[in-house]
Amino acid sequence: MLDAGPGKGVSVLREVAIRSRAPLRPGLAGGGTDLSPYCDEYGGAILNCTIDRYAYAFITPRNDSVIRFVASDINTDESHSTGRALDIGSGLRFHRAVYNHFVESGSLDPKAGMTVTTGVDSPHGSGLGSSSALAVALCEAFRFFCNTPLGTYDLAHLAFEIERLRLSLAGGKQDQSAASFGGVNFIEFLPQDRVIADPLRVDRSVLNELEASLVICSTGVSRESEQIIDPQVGRNAQTLDALHAIKQAAIDMKQALLTGNLRTLGAVLNNPWISKKKTASGVSTQIIDELFEAGGWAWPVHLAGRGVESWKTQT
């Protein structure tokens, strides 16, 4: 159970292991409108939901002066001496960047030894926002370990800054917000870096039917997000018109979901997909088109109603 009450200083938290997890998300509509410069000029809107697949981060204190990072899902393990900033140009870059931030901000003792273990329930490049969920899970674990006061918006923004600015990884803002808030959200991305997340109060029977209609599978093809994102930030007329249509589809789908009209939702879902394929040549593949035409995926999932969460356990 989450326990981040006042008075729980670092000396107390280091007696226990910290665990956190952040949910992955399939995007329903609006993807791409959270990218700059589109959202800065026109405002973006996205409808997404989180599922019961997660990115995990565990922090266990050590008695020596070693920082050990373990990424169990990719079988990578590295160790560093404490007391210095870590190079974020190689290795487990997310782990190093988040660690550096909390040290540089004065929240974390640079001499503290620890083992940070992570894992993700989906492969890299799955399109479920796994990298951003990992960033959120790491930030939340360190926040709890250091007893740093960060709200949900703050956590999402910190994960965005680390992933997009410090690590210079291409992408928008929806993934960090989805992983932080959890559930079904309509998220607006406005000029001056403003983000407004509106958790939708969808009737449980509608969510049950949506769950029964959503199945996710792996196509066996993983792609770097830059291959999809870079063409979407262009300013040609076709891309711009497609992004306007994608944003409108998110608004229409939100209304269909709130009114429980899943038939309309399914019909609307087709429109942003057609528009999305106009924003970048690599959005779809032959396999994806065939699956879409078949109307069936594989790997049933359940919607996760909670966002990132953390708790402590005895070591």
Side-chain angles (χ1 to χ4, degrees):
M1 179 177 291
L2 180 63
D3 182 7
K8 298 294 186 1
V10 173
S11 61
V12 175
L13 292 180
R14 284 182 184 162
E15 297 176 358
V16 298
I18 302 302
R19 306 189 187 281
S20 73
R21 67 179 187 179
L24 308 184
R25 65 101 195 107
L28 297 178
T33 67
D34 59 324
L35 295 168
S36 295
Y38 182 86
C39 65
D40 302 322
E41 297 181 12
Y42 303 100
I46 282 180
L47 179 67
N48 62 29
C49 60
T50 54
I51 59 176
D52 61 345
R53 299 293 187 273
Y54 300 89
Y56 305 87
F58 307 151
I59 300 179
T60 305
R62 300 173 63 102
N63 294 324
D64 54 15
S65 299
V66 172
I67 308 158
R68 184 185 178 204
F69 296 139
V70 180
S72 59
D73 54 317
I74 57 174
N75 298 316
T76 301
D77 187 323
E78 60 182 48
S79 296
H80 308 271
S81 299
T82 59
R84 60 184 178 86
L86 304 180
D87 175 21
I88 61 173
S90 62
L92 296 175
R93 301 180 66 207
F94 280 83
H95 303 60
R96 298 184 188 193
V98 173
Y99 171 84
N100 282 352
H101 168 80
F102 280 88
V103 170
E104 292 166 4
S105 66
S107 301
L108 179 63
D109 182 355
K111 297 180 180 179
M114 65 182 67
T115 296
V116 181
T117 304
T118 61
V120 182
D121 283 340
S122 72
H124 175 72
S126 64
L128 294 174
S130 57
S131 295
S132 298
L134 175 61
V136 170
L138 280 166
C139 288
E140 171 62 11
F142 274 93
R143 179 209 66 79
F144 197 176
F145 185 81
C146 300
N147 197 27
T148 304
L150 287 177
T152 308
Y153 278 102
D154 298 325
L155 188 68
H157 187 69
L158 174 59
F160 170 81
E161 286 191 333
I162 288 175
E163 186 174 4
R164 306 297 182 222
L165 304 182
R166 285 203 175 207
L167 297 178
S168 300
L169 298 174
K173 304 173 183 177
Q174 73 149 320
D175 295 346
Q176 299 86 1
S177 297
S180 298
F181 286 94
V184 182
N185 293 285
F186 182 78
I187 309 175
E188 296 178 90
F189 304 91
L190 306 175
Q192 300 180 344
D193 210 26
R194 290 178 296 154
V195 177
I196 301 175
D198 180 15
L200 301 186
R201 297 190 176 185
V202 183
D203 188 87
R204 184 66 248 182
S205 63
V206 175
L207 288 181
N208 290 342
E209 186 62 24
L210 182 61
E211 283 186 349
S213 304
L214 286 178
V215 193
I216 296 176
C217 76
S218 171
T219 63
V221 178
S222 176
R223 295 166 295 174
E224 294 297 330
S225 57
E226 288 86 350
Q227 299 173 3
I228 308 300
I229 291 169
D230 289 346
Q232 295 182 50
V233 300
R235 293 176 178 269
N236 66 75
Q238 176 175 293
T239 299
L240 190 58
D241 288 344
L243 288 172
H244 287 334
I246 288 171
K247 180 171 70 173
Q248 184 59 48
I251 297 171
D252 295 342
M253 193 175 293
K254 169 191 174 183
Q255 186 62 28
L257 195 58
L258 288 175
T259 57
N261 193 336
L262 291 185
R263 288 188 177 276
T264 298
L265 188 149
V268 172
L269 186 61
N270 185 52
N271 296 330
W273 174 242
I274 294 173
S275 298
K276 187 75 171 178
K277 291 197 289 185
K278 295 178 180 178
T279 65
S281 59
V283 166
S284 189
T285 65
Q286 182 178 348
I287 295 176
I288 294 175
D289 286 339
E290 290 174 355
L291 287 171
F292 190 82
E293 290 299 325
W297 299 346
W299 191 24
V301 297
H302 298 284
L303 303 184
R306 303 178 66 175
V308 63
E309 53 189 341
S310 55
W311 63 97
K312 62 184 180 181
T313 184
Q314 296 295 327
T315 56

